[in-house]
Each structure stands twice: as C-alpha cells, then as structure tokens.
Amino acid sequence: MLGVEETIAGTEAAQIPKQRGESLLETAVRYAEERHWDVFPGTWLEAVDGVQHCSCGDRACAAPGAHPAREDWATQATGSATVARRMWQKQPAASILLPTGRTFDAISVPETAGFLALARMERMELTLGPVTLTPARRMEFFVLPGASVKVPDLVRKIGWSPASLDLVVLGEGGYVAAPPTRFGSRGAVQWACRPTAANRWLPDAEELISPLAYACGRDR
C-alpha cells in the first residue's frame, strides 16, 4: 500500500480526475463517466469589489461556493456524462457536488484524526476508497452505501459511544463537495487518496471503522 505522502500526491494516471488544468465541466463529466458517480452543480463564487462571495447572496455563507444552489438538488443529480456536460455548460463556475447514499456513503472525521487513521490503515494493509481533504479541515472516506445505518452499532461494538466521537456519516440525503471545488478564500477540496482503477471497489464501513474510531478517540 502507498505511504500517506505518496497517496496524497498520487502518481497513477489511469482513472484519476485531474485537479489542475481541467475545467469544472470536464472534471464533473469525468466523475460521471469514469466513476459512475452522480453529480450535480452547486453554487459558485462571484467577485464583488475584488472579494469573492457565494452566488447564494449570503455574505455570511458557511460554505461559499460549495453547497446546493436549489432545494431540489437530489432530483437534479445525474450519473449521465451528457446531462452533466449540459448542466455545467449553463454555469461553468458551479461547484461539483456528489450526493451520498447512492453509489457511496462518506465517513467524515477531523483532519488530524484522518491522517492518524490513514497511517494506521497503512500498517493494517487495508484497501481504501477515495478520500477527500476539505478546507474545513475534515477528511471524508468513501465507503459502500449503507454506512449511515450500521456505523453507530459498529462504533458501540468496539467500545466507543457514537456521541463521544467527532465521526459523522453522510448517507442518503447528504452530499460531499468534490475536488477541485473551492470554499471561498479558504481553499479547494483535494484528494487525500485519489480515485484510481485500484480503488474502484469501495470498502465496507466495517473494514475502516476501527482505525477511524480509534483516531477520533485520540483526537478528542
């Protein structure tokens, strides 16, 4: 398994959505086409007097340029590359959002716990799915759908109280922002573990929950 630094840098060219040198439109299309992920366009950033603000108009927006632009976003999400291209052609600056609870769920933990868990997973020789690193200083581990239902019991079985850990599962009705979506001036979402041909098959939450819970417990 790759070391943490190698994982973050990423060296495999096949099936990897680029983070630089490619438009949001082409990246969104690649997610739908190569990974078969549903995608939908979110808000975007607009410059006002030299300052970037969220297109939603809220100057105090908590996730500027990185949240749904409409209430019916769940019905708008598509796995069709053709439809994705059409949507981003209408608004090329729109963020790329991925609904959870469909082809994957996401386990979100603090960044410090995430890096600790990655190191532990490497020693355990676990196979990871894609993992994002967000400007909110959180890491999101992609796992098979259904994690939102089973994780609380899994956490209890290994001796932790779910309420005591900063471990959140994003399932049906949720979404994650995909690279290279930007959160205002805070920076862009990045891949801590890139999508590759090798991790097309996602792990089950049960395979990752022990190192994640342990790392969150250490991070309290």
Side-chain angles (χ1 to χ4, degrees):
M1 183 173 177
L2 292 175
V4 173
E5 294 80 4
E6 292 175 282
T7 304
I8 293 172
T11 56
E12 185 172 343
Q15 305 293 335
I16 300 177
K18 299 175 184 176
Q19 291 193 55
R20 298 182 178 85
E22 187 173 42
S23 69
L24 288 163
L25 182 156
E26 292 301 329
T27 304
V29 168
R30 281 161 63 87
Y31 287 146
E33 197 167 56
E34 295 182 359
R35 301 299 294 199
H36 304 295
W37 289 339
D38 283 4
V39 298
F40 67 97
T43 53
W44 57 92
L45 296 172
E46 298 176 332
V48 179
D49 297 327
V51 179
Q52 289 188 323
H53 296 285
C54 186
S55 62
C56 72
D58 182 358
R59 294 299 179 93
C61 181
H67 64 86
R70 42 194 278 186
E71 292 185 2
D72 64 343
W73 61 264
T75 60
Q76 185 188 25
T78 179
S80 165
T82 301
V83 176
R85 183 178 296 278
R86 190 181 306 135
M87 289 194 294
W88 266 270
Q89 283 174 338
K90 292 180 181 178
Q91 182 45 258
S95 53
I96 303 173
L97 305 180
L98 312 175
T100 50
R102 300 187 182 186
T103 52
F104 65 87
D105 281 1
I107 302 177
S108 173
V109 300
E111 176 185 301
T112 49
F115 279 115
L116 178 62
L118 280 177
R120 192 173 179 86
M121 290 172 188
E122 179 181 1
R123 292 193 297 272
M124 297 170 69
E125 299 185 347
L126 294 177
T127 300
L128 293 176
V131 182
T132 62
L133 176 62
T134 78
R137 302 186 68 83
R138 296 192 70 83
M139 294 178 77
E140 294 163 343
F141 291 72
F142 288 22
V143 295
L144 288 172
S148 57
V149 175
K150 63 175 66 174
V151 161
D153 283 341
L154 290 173
V155 169
R156 292 187 192 97
K157 285 180 181 178
I158 57 177
W160 294 95
S161 163
S164 70
L165 301 179
D166 187 1
L167 185 153
V168 179
V169 184
L170 302 170
E172 187 174 357
Y175 66 88
V176 297
T181 294
R182 296 192 63 84
F183 279 63
S185 61
R186 293 154 63 186
V189 183
Q190 302 176 57
W191 289 115
C193 183
R194 293 173 178 266
T196 68
N199 65 17
R200 177 175 295 279
W201 304 108
L202 299 176
D204 189 276
E206 190 168 358
E207 300 173 59
L208 306 186
I209 199 62
S210 178
L212 285 172
Y214 170 82
C216 287
R218 286 279 303 272
D219 193 52
R220 289 186 302 175

